[in-house]
Amino acid sequence: MVEIKEVKTKKQIREFCNLPNLMYKGNPYYIPPLYMDELAIFTDKNIYNKTCDQVFYLAYKDSKVVGRIQGIIQKDYNRTHNESRARFTRFDSIDDLEVSTKLFDAFEEWAKNKNMDTLCGPLGYSDLEREGLLIEGFEELNTFEEQYNYPYYQKLIENSGYVKEVDWVESYLTSDKTKVNKIYELSKKVMERYDLHFVEKEKSESKAHFIDRVVPGVFYLIDEGYKKLYGTMPFTDEMKKSIVSEFKLFIDTKYISIIANNEGKFLAFGLAFPAFGEALQKSSGKLTIPCLFRLLKLLKHPKGIDLGLVAVDPEYVNLGINVPIMEKIIRFLDSGEVEYMQTNLNLEDNYKIRAFWKYFNNRENKRRRSFVKHI
């Protein structure tokens, strides 16, 4: 018998957060989120409490936790797009249709009672959260920024009446020595033609001060560059502050690429992270002392880098500014400082960004999907 319970108690919160680590224990491709960040969702530290309705459910079978799901109503998104959508995320289940069906039934009943007419996911609170169900690339190491899942999840979701809404693809990139000089030449031409320059951290400037200095211009580019993309909405000042706080530990300013014009206006932005996910595997995302040592080692000497974000001012999107933005990252590959780069999510119909990867040895190694259901 399968029983569904809404998460209310501290024990249930721990069960909800621990379930993926139990299900994927020993899986070499699974990268856990930070455990403390998952727990924080259930506290006042979760800034989205002010802008979202949410619910959490656990599934029990023979008194054992066998599944979970979170429902989110992102009110800012619905208001901006004039829609009545509820998102599901943090869905995990054993390979059992009864378990998954009852989880989705509970989520859907909650959404109906909130007068929603469309269900979609996996999608988190914002576009900077883990999103999409992995449907191809199950034997590829995940990035820290995205979620791993078993192949049978697609069957469980589709069994509850969900169909494809959008797909994203990810790429594994290595340097192509025959093409890098062309990139450098194109980059130089673009920079000179439009009188552009890179925004750099000054020698005497701390990392924290540099990040604080560029944050307003960077989020302007993210809001403008991403506002028409699937599932996105503008970030409030509180959201921006929280996002920066979460990622400051993992940011190395040498992987930040910002281009401005001669008036100082930011026109393009790129951010990559050292590929540190493997440091979290043994500790299940908990920042133990051994984990911190592994983490610091990988942050200083990563094997690869994860491309987090690329954003270009829409007025300049067709002027080739993405080339110099990526040049800085390409040099790390070309020099041999890192072995590879992974791109994270590119919408399958974002042909411009996917075409850009032709300048690398490009292997599209993963595909993710967001599903939709109208009720």
Side-chain angles (χ1 to χ4, degrees):
M1 177 181 173
V2 175
E3 185 179 9
I4 304 298
K5 294 183 180 180
E6 185 176 349
V7 174
K8 296 286 189 182
T9 68
K10 290 183 178 180
K11 179 185 177 183
Q12 290 171 330
I13 290 171
R14 291 194 299 271
E15 289 175 330
F16 189 94
C17 295
N18 277 325
L19 181 61
N21 290 326
L22 296 175
M23 292 185 61
Y24 297 103
K25 186 175 182 179
N27 187 302
Y29 313 113
Y30 167 71
I31 302 295
L34 285 177
Y35 188 73
M36 63 182 184
D37 287 348
E38 294 298 287
L39 288 176
I41 291 171
F42 296 89
T43 72
D44 293 338
K45 293 180 181 179
N46 185 0
I47 59 168
Y48 294 102
N49 289 337
K50 298 178 181 179
T51 58
C52 297
D53 292 336
Q54 57 187 335
V55 70
F56 304 84
Y57 293 110
L58 284 168
Y60 296 83
K61 190 172 186 178
D62 300 324
S63 301
K64 181 182 178 181
V65 178
V66 291
R68 69 173 192 167
I69 197 168
Q70 178 187 2
I72 298 172
I73 296 173
Q74 177 44 272
K75 290 185 280 189
D76 281 348
Y77 175 89
N78 283 347
R79 190 179 305 112
T80 301
H81 296 272
N82 194 29
E83 295 186 25
S84 299
R85 284 187 172 234
R87 306 174 172 200
F88 72 87
T89 186
R90 292 178 172 84
F91 166 68
D92 288 287
S93 173
I94 61 172
D95 191 3
D96 186 318
L97 287 176
E98 183 183 7
V99 172
S100 61
T101 299
K102 288 194 173 182
L103 282 169
F104 277 104
D105 285 348
F107 160 62
E108 291 172 18
E109 185 65 25
W110 172 80
K112 287 178 183 177
N113 289 335
K114 296 284 186 178
N115 298 315
M116 298 295 106
D117 58 28
T118 305
L119 311 171
C120 60
L123 290 174
Y125 297 107
S126 79
D127 188 53
L128 298 187
E129 278 214 329
R130 295 180 170 199
E131 58 188 358
L133 187 84
L134 187 67
I135 61 171
E136 294 176 12
F138 300 103
E139 295 183 354
E140 300 282 345
L141 180 66
N142 241 45
T143 64
F144 171 75
E145 295 82 12
E146 303 303 337
Q147 179 65 33
Y148 184 82
N149 57 262
Y150 290 123
Y152 65 78
Y153 277 40
Q154 182 176 354
K155 171 193 67 179
L156 299 183
I157 292 173
E158 290 175 345
N159 182 73
S160 285
Y162 292 79
V163 297
K164 172 185 173 180
E165 185 162 38
V166 300
D167 275 9
W168 297 271
V169 294
E170 300 174 50
S171 288
Y172 182 95
L173 308 172
T174 56
S175 178
D176 187 331
K177 299 292 184 181
T178 65
K179 297 177 181 178
V180 290
N181 287 334
K182 184 176 181 180
I183 294 175
Y184 300 153
E185 291 170 7
L186 285 172
S187 175
K188 185 179 179 181
K189 288 179 181 178
V190 170
M191 296 292 280
E192 291 177 349
R193 182 181 302 159
Y194 302 108
D195 193 15
L196 308 177
H197 64 273
F198 285 101
V199 178
E200 304 282 4
K201 184 173 82 68
E202 298 173 5
K203 288 185 178 180
S204 61
E205 189 176 24
S206 68
K207 180 176 85 169
H209 185 272
F210 173 72
I211 291 173
D212 289 341
R213 175 162 65 90
V214 302
V215 156
V218 164
F219 271 102
Y220 167 79
L221 289 174
I222 293 173
D223 282 341
E224 289 300 306
Y226 283 61
K227 66 183 179 182
K228 293 183 180 180
L229 298 184
Y230 176 79
T232 62
M233 67 279 177
F235 293 99
T236 65
D237 289 341
E238 195 172 8
M239 290 176 192
K240 295 172 186 177
K241 184 177 179 180
S242 176
I243 291 165
V244 171
S245 177
E246 286 180 16
F247 283 98
K248 259 186 181 178
L249 173 64
F250 308 115
I251 291 175
D252 189 326
T253 55
K254 71 181 181 181
Y255 298 129
I256 298 176
S257 184
I258 302 171
I259 291 176
N261 62 15
N262 57 10
E263 297 175 351
K265 180 183 179 182
F266 288 9
L267 303 184
F269 160 74
L271 172 64
F273 296 97
F276 59 84
E278 290 176 277
L280 303 173
Q281 287 180 315
K282 289 183 180 180
S283 65
S284 299
K286 297 174 183 177
L287 292 180
T288 61
I289 297 299
C291 175
L292 284 172
F293 277 116
R294 293 193 299 270
L295 186 58
L296 290 172
K297 182 179 179 181
L298 279 177
L299 288 175
K300 285 185 177 181
H301 304 289
K303 295 179 182 177
I305 48 180
D306 299 339
L307 182 59
L309 292 169
V310 175
V312 179
D313 188 313
E315 293 183 18
Y316 296 83
V317 76
N318 294 317
L319 302 183
I321 295 178
N322 59 325
V323 177
I325 274 293
M326 291 305 303
E327 177 203 343
K328 194 172 181 181
I329 305 301
I330 291 167
R331 288 189 182 277
F332 292 111
L333 288 174
D334 189 34
S335 68
E337 184 172 333
V338 296
E339 298 173 11
Y340 66 89
M341 181 171 77
Q342 293 204 75
T343 66
N344 284 311
L345 306 188
N346 299 152
L347 282 164
E348 65 177 344
D349 60 358
N350 190 344
Y351 301 113
K352 289 181 180 178
I353 189 64
R354 290 179 68 188
F356 183 76
W357 307 135
K358 69 184 179 182
Y359 293 109
F360 300 80
N361 292 318
N362 174 18
R363 178 170 63 88
E364 290 191 341
N365 64 336
K366 282 173 273 186
R367 179 176 287 265
R368 297 180 189 274
R369 178 164 296 172
S370 181
F371 296 83
V372 68
K373 178 179 180 179
H374 301 285
I375 55 175

